[in-house]
Amino acid sequence: MAVIDARAVSKRFLLRHNASVELKVRFLGLLHPERRQSIEEFWALRDVSLRIERGEAVGLVGRNGSGKSTFLKLIAAIHRPTSGHLLVARNARIASMIELGVGFHPELTGRENVFLNAAIHGLSRPDIEALYGAIVQYSGLEHFIDVPIKNYSSGMHMRLGFAVAANLNPDILLLDEIFAVGDADFQQRCIGTIRRFLEDGKTIIFVSHAPSAVRSICRRVCVLDQGTLAFDGEIESGLAFYEQSLVLGREAAAHAASGGGPLTSQGSPAAEPAAAREVVSLAPDPWLFDFLRGQGLQREHYLLELSTRSLPSNSPLAAFLEDRHYRVAVRGADAREADRAANAFDFDDIAAQFDFACAHSVFPRFPLNSVVRCIASVLRKLRPGGRFYATCYENPDPASFDPIARAPGVTTYPDRQPYHYPFELLASACAILGAEVERTAVTDPGGEAVFVITRRH
């Protein structure tokens, strides 16, 4: 059962530059344009779709400024989304340690701040008094509890804040870099408490830059990159993905500092973007070309190809079709961007109507709700009677949620990459969208089944 369901959530902040309330400064701004106040839009999150089940421990990682803390603040209702919907289970108690000292007043003592912080979380005074002794004992600050916390060290702040959160018995625990401060003994106590929460079916979202801390708590990792969800899956793959993004970021920064242009995912200088996306990165795919020709593709037809990878400029489809009849929708020029989340498929920038569309090895990269969004977006770009050919791994038993071993070295899953889906669910979704889906008798060289989705009207 999901306790948190983010649906295309975005959060925008307005950054004011040269802001001032002084009349003199504003008057000078009339004479000197460079001194005028300007407002810049900053999107901390863009179209993040993420579903977290009860009892999960999810590690949220990413570079500084990627939107991790903002996402936690949306869950905690400190901020509201600019667009999209963020659903949290009804009556779920949320305990959070998002910023060190949030909910504490520096002039109040530790004792007073315990009552203040617990009251913010909705506890009555009798409830807080019943928990007070356990909170102080857990924190280990008995000798400092009557000292104003402006005199506390950062580690003491963390001790007191986590002690309050740990004793609230929350349903959802939000933690942001709590292990960046504090001694090793208290960190181990925190980890033990978190594991006990997980055994009790609590849900934890843990933000950290420390892989060891993430491994000790989490079994799932989500990577945020510049406000978008770039990875959602198994922990070791997610941490490796994050480490690779850090390396690529450092290489790009060093290259830019030396006066060079942007880098490709291989670390070499990137070519200037061309309108036709002429990026030579993969060998041409003769199987797809031969298959579509066998399905009746003619030179005069219009074709939309979906991909999560850069496509070669010498594609046989591009060479076969008439000029401007072939369009490619690439969601990112490399694997890091291609894995961006759920609602990555948006074709509003493509005005043409197409006779054919194809998506080879795209669906296994996305969960079912994203696949349905993709199908809906493609259908809007097809002419009546247009056909959309897509490959995916099929789950022959809709009642089974077990992994399925395919070819040697390939295993598919119902809840992570590479995904597999029951045909019945795809058929139901297509019927709702005004389309029909059929199996073909063909499988691709990698063992994916090939479906054809036809727009009715």
Side-chain angles (χ1 to χ4, degrees), residues 260-276:
L263 294 178
T264 65
S265 60
Q266 290 76 29
S268 57
E272 290 296 319

Side-chain angles (χ1 to χ4, degrees), residues 28 49 53 95 101 104 125 168 173 176 183 191 230 251 253 285 287 290-291 294 309 311 329 332 364 395 398:
L28 290 174
S49 293
E53 306 293 330
F104 290 158
R125 187 173 184 85
L168 290 179
L173 183 59
D176 189 353
D183 56 64
I191 291 174
E251 291 176 351
D285 190 349
W287 173 85
D290 293 339
F291 172 77
R309 308 171 297 178
L311 296 179
N395 179 9

